[in-house]
Amino acid sequence: MTDKGIGLSRRKMLAGLGAVGVASAGAGLGTTAYFSDDESFEGNTLTAGELDLKMDYRMTYRGGPGRLGELQENYPNATFVDEDMEPTDDDTGVYLLDQVPNRTEYPGAEDWVIGANGVYDPETGEGEGFQRDELIDAGDLEDALIRIGDVKPGDYGEVTFSTHLYDNPGYMWMGGMLTDENQNGYTEPEIEALEEMGDPTDDPDGDGQLADSIRAKIWYDDNCDNVHQGERDEESEGVDVMLSIDNSGSMGGGPGSKMEQAKAAALDFVENLGPNDRVGLVTFESTGQLRQGLTSTHSNVETYLQPEPAGISDAGRTMMDAGVDLAADELNDNGRSGVDEVIILLGDGEPNESDRAGSDHVQNAKDAATDAKNDGITVFTIGLGVSNGSTAQNTLIDMASSSNGTTLYYDSPTGTDLDDIYSQISSVILTGEEVIAEGTLREVMTALEAGIELDANVQSEERICFTNSVTRCFGFEWELPTTVGNEIQTDSVEFAIGFAAEQCRHNDGETNPYAPDDSNGTNDGNVTNGGNATGTA
């Protein structure tokens, strides 16, 4: 695992620190689903629509070896995971504490992301996605989500939340607050450390130093890999990226077709490239075509992505292996040394033609992707309108690369989701995943207390609603740095994190549910609405 985010590799303890008492962190989740006023006519009656915000999550902790038994007192299902987040019997000092849903068929991180990206159809019983009734809101939580005692300098924890909107698109906000913090008296080493820092030692019932010592960060985890992809250096040499777009007959033609939606979303992606980024374009139908090799003149690619009758159009079958091989050949032959090489492949169906030998078109497409990945190329795949659990979807999932144990496959049930999906991929490979709040735990919670607007497409100038068909991930990490000493002994802190949603239709997204109540200057309670749970060890 690379050292990204807040000190992922810093797990050692301070030498000569002495016995550190209980420094515990408690957290809770809150979800608020604002009632929708969407009506539909059914047999001459008016039926109110719904807006339901649910979440799944996966929570890990890096606290050093030998703590499994202790952690299992609070998390009975806690287990070891390796550096790729996969379950292991080895004492790695990295622990998977909890996850929702907790299905036996999703033991590993890769399968977990497939479940989060898929959509389960309750009417047919088909689909790889999580089922609505096994997801959570705050009222489902009987205990605080994070409840770890004996936290020591160097300890690190991370939770990735995936949000699921049902029935209607919605504007979303994130909120939070410190709910309690305690000095819990003083130990002799703590008094000595505080006196050396010039801090008072006469308030054993005070707040303590833990909230100001813990570092925290919240971000759009656009590839759901539990790691923050930081902002790219302005002097970076850029990225070499090949777009590979299905233009088979099933993509259709004319306004509103999958072909036109795919071109429009890819065009927005290209327009967001930086001056040091190079881009090329491959299309595939009954044959594969290299439309444009890698170029810094982005307009050369944009020409092919213009609305009908200009640009590429639909025709023929689906030779997906050529869509990968041509893109990989261009990167291998003309890519720049030391620069990240990426293929973003969009498909809407199962491969039914091959450029490679043999008649197993699906396997040929998978083999082409495997060869590209073996050459050091990162492969993102997008399934446009593919059926859940279908061969087409599973093929694209298998073709995608992995990052920190997660599969870089994005499911787009409709073409209207593509802009948001390309924006997420852009955040991962181009601009870096956007930070929502970071600093000390106190600073992050103070920022959240006022409520922060969330945006489904951070590259758009306008705030975009979150669709009710695409799962989105948000990461929260905390760390007690190794530079912290005995001043935090026995301290504890509790905090709450919440999400709120409001239907997009008939609303403008201007009413912040976490904003202070003008009548009394306090928060209106949405952070704790839905049964926020907090707790200390």
Side-chain angles (χ1 to χ4, degrees):
M1 182 181 296
T2 57
D3 186 5
K4 298 179 180 178
I6 301 180
L8 292 177
S9 66
R10 289 182 287 168
R11 295 194 284 269
K12 63 181 181 179
M13 308 229 273
L14 283 178
L17 177 66
V20 176
V22 176
S24 58
L29 287 174
T31 64
T32 304
Y34 284 81
F35 189 67
S36 165
D37 62 355
D38 179 28
E39 289 87 26
S40 59
F41 283 100
E42 297 180 4
N44 296 320
T45 64
L46 283 173
T47 302
E50 295 182 66
L51 178 69
D52 191 14
L53 175 61
K54 293 286 189 178
M55 288 186 292
D56 68 79
Y57 65 83
R58 168 164 281 191
M59 178 167 52
T60 58
Y61 171 56
R62 295 165 176 83
R67 300 198 62 186
L68 182 60
E70 170 195 342
L71 291 169
Q72 285 176 332
E73 293 182 7
N74 277 330
Y75 301 96
N77 295 319
T79 187
F80 300 124
V81 288
D82 61 21
E83 293 295 305
D84 291 323
M85 299 290 295
E86 298 293 337
T88 177
D89 293 331
D90 297 328
D91 188 349
T92 60
V94 183
Y95 307 87
L96 171 61
L97 296 183
D98 195 15
Q99 60 187 21
V100 165
N102 199 349
R103 288 205 219 162
T104 56
E105 63 264 40
Y106 289 116
E110 182 171 335
D111 290 333
W112 183 268
V113 171
I114 294 171
N117 282 348
V119 178
Y120 176 80
D121 185 342
E123 293 184 2
T124 64
E126 297 178 349
E128 294 292 321
F130 298 147
Q131 298 178 31
R132 183 171 179 171
D133 61 3
E134 62 185 352
L135 302 178
I136 65 158
D137 58 28
D140 298 327
L141 295 172
E142 296 180 358
D143 299 300
L145 198 61
I146 301 172
R147 47 190 191 278
I148 302 173
D150 196 20
V151 174
K152 293 180 172 60
D155 282 8
Y156 169 93
E158 198 273 346
V159 185
T160 290
F161 309 100
S162 300
T163 58
H164 307 254
L165 277 173
Y166 287 93
D167 304 308
N168 280 287
Y171 293 107
M172 287 181 55
W173 292 262
M174 193 171 189
M177 64 170 64
L178 285 175
T179 57
D180 196 20
E181 48 183 328
N182 289 289
Q183 183 75 57
N184 294 320
Y186 296 108
T187 65
E188 184 176 340
E190 185 180 9
I191 291 175
E192 183 178 343
L194 290 171
E195 288 177 344
E196 289 180 0
M197 296 170 60
D199 287 353
T201 58
D202 58 353
D203 188 9
D205 298 320
D207 291 340
Q209 288 70 42
L210 192 56
D212 296 305
S213 300
I214 292 174
R215 302 293 300 178
K217 181 192 294 183
I218 299 172
W219 72 96
Y220 292 88
D221 192 7
D222 285 320
N223 61 351
C224 301
D225 72 344
N226 309 91
V227 176
H228 178 231
Q229 272 68 41
E231 183 177 354
R232 194 171 60 171
D233 191 328
E234 292 183 0
E235 299 180 359
S236 165
E237 294 184 15
V239 175
D240 284 345
V241 55
M242 290 296 298
L243 300 176
S244 182
I245 298 177
D246 185 347
N247 69 322
S248 61
S250 59
M251 291 288 285
S257 66
K258 288 187 285 186
M259 187 76 262
E260 291 304 301
Q261 291 169 330
K263 287 195 295 182
L267 180 61
D268 285 344
F269 174 85
V270 174
E271 290 175 343
N272 282 309
L273 293 172
N276 296 330
D277 300 320
R278 298 195 304 167
V279 63
L281 174 65
V282 166
T283 61
F284 56 94
E285 27 105 357
S286 294
T287 62
Q289 296 185 60
L290 176 62
R291 303 281 188 162
Q292 172 62 55
L294 289 166
T295 178
S296 298
T297 307
H298 303 156
S299 58
N300 290 351
V301 173
E302 293 171 1
T303 298
Y304 291 99
L305 303 176
Q306 298 304 311
E308 195 179 64
I312 56 179
S313 58
D314 65 301
R317 293 166 66 80
T318 307
M319 188 180 283
M320 194 173 288
D321 59 347
V324 178
D325 283 333
L326 288 172
D329 289 345
E330 176 65 14
L331 288 167
N332 287 328
D333 294 342
N334 299 310
R336 295 170 290 175
S337 176
V339 171
D340 289 340
E341 297 179 337
V342 175
I343 294 173
I344 304 174
L345 183 143
L346 179 147
D348 82 324
E350 181 179 338
N352 54 24
E353 198 74 66
S354 290
D355 189 47
R356 293 185 170 213
S359 59
D360 190 338
H361 310 306
V362 168
Q363 190 59 49
N364 284 340
K366 293 180 181 180
D367 290 344
T370 297
D371 290 344
K373 290 182 282 188
N374 288 340
D375 289 336
I377 298 169
T378 301
V379 180
F380 290 80
T381 60
I382 303 171
L384 175 55
V386 297
S387 300
N388 292 298
S390 65
T391 300
Q393 186 185 63
N394 290 331
T395 299
L396 291 166
I397 289 170
D398 290 342
M399 292 171 66
S401 295
S402 293
S403 174
N404 195 36
T406 68
T407 303
L408 300 180
Y409 166 75
Y410 293 77
D411 197 61
S412 180
T414 69
T416 57
D417 305 321
L418 284 176
D419 279 340
D420 297 349
I421 287 173
Y422 273 105
S423 173
Q424 292 176 68
I425 296 175
S426 179
S427 294
V428 175
I429 67 175
L430 299 177
T431 61
E433 294 170 333
E434 182 163 315
V435 172
I436 296 170
E438 67 177 326
T440 66
L441 182 61
R442 185 185 304 281
E443 290 169 342
V444 168
M445 291 301 125
T446 298
L448 289 179
E449 190 166 359
I452 297 177
E453 292 182 352
L454 301 176
D455 195 341
N457 187 340
V458 296
Q459 295 178 349
S460 174
E461 293 182 0
E462 299 179 354
R463 185 184 180 196
I464 303 299
C465 275
F466 286 80
T467 178
N468 56 321
S469 56
V470 175
T471 297
R472 297 299 298 271
C473 293
F474 304 90
F476 168 70
E477 65 181 10
W478 63 269
E479 182 186 32
L480 190 59
T482 56
T483 54
V484 175
N486 288 331
E487 67 270 16
I488 55 92
Q489 281 200 33
T490 73
D491 295 0
S492 63
V493 63
E494 300 174 11
F495 56 98
I497 296 174
F499 294 86
E502 176 185 66
Q503 174 186 292
C504 294
R505 185 181 175 189
H506 304 318
N507 292 295
D508 57 13
E510 296 296 324
T511 305
N512 182 349
Y514 295 107
D517 186 337
D518 292 337
S519 64
N520 56 23
T522 61
N523 187 283
D524 66 3
N526 280 301
V527 171
T528 56
N529 190 9
N532 254 322
T534 59
T536 57

